[in-house]
Amino acid sequence: MSAAVLPVPDLDIEDALVREASPPWETVVWNDPVNLMNYVVHVFREYFGYSLEEATRLMLAVHHDGKAIVAQGAREQMELHVQAMHDYGLWATVRRSG
C-alpha cells in the first residue's frame, strides 16, 4: 500500500489571488489650514504628473470636501505616496477602497 502524495500549495500564487480579490488601496489627501491651494496643485502636478486641470480638480476636492483620493493601487505603492505627501508637508493617509 503506497501513501498518497498531496500537492503542496503554491503560497505565492495563493497570496497573489488574495491580493487580486482584495479591493485596491487609496491614497487620500486631507485638507489642512497650512498649505496654499496653488502649492497643493504644484505637488499633485510634480509628484503624480497630473495635468493642471486634474491637479486643480483634486485640490478643489480637498478644499471643498475636506479630502480627495489622489491614487489607487497596491497598498505598498499607496504607502509610498503617503510618505511622499508627508515629505511635501501635506496630510495624507492610506485606506482600503470601497
Side-chain angles (χ1 to χ4, degrees), residues 6-69:
L6 298 175
V8 176
D10 186 336
L11 297 179
D12 289 336
I13 291 173
E14 288 183 10
D15 286 345
L17 292 173
V18 168
R19 281 193 303 271
E20 284 181 8
S22 299
W25 294 82
E26 300 172 335
T27 298
V28 181
V29 173
W30 300 87
N31 195 24
D32 66 63
V34 177
N35 292 294
L36 299 175
M37 290 187 280
N38 63 344
Y39 177 69
V40 176
V41 170
H42 165 76
V43 170
F44 292 167
R45 294 191 74 199
E46 183 174 292
Y47 180 77
F48 292 105
Y50 288 132
S51 66
L52 176 60
E53 294 76 19
E54 181 65 6
T56 301
R57 184 189 71 75
L58 290 168
M59 175 278 298
L60 288 172
V62 171
H63 181 70
H64 293 297
D65 302 332
K67 67 183 183 302
I69 298 166

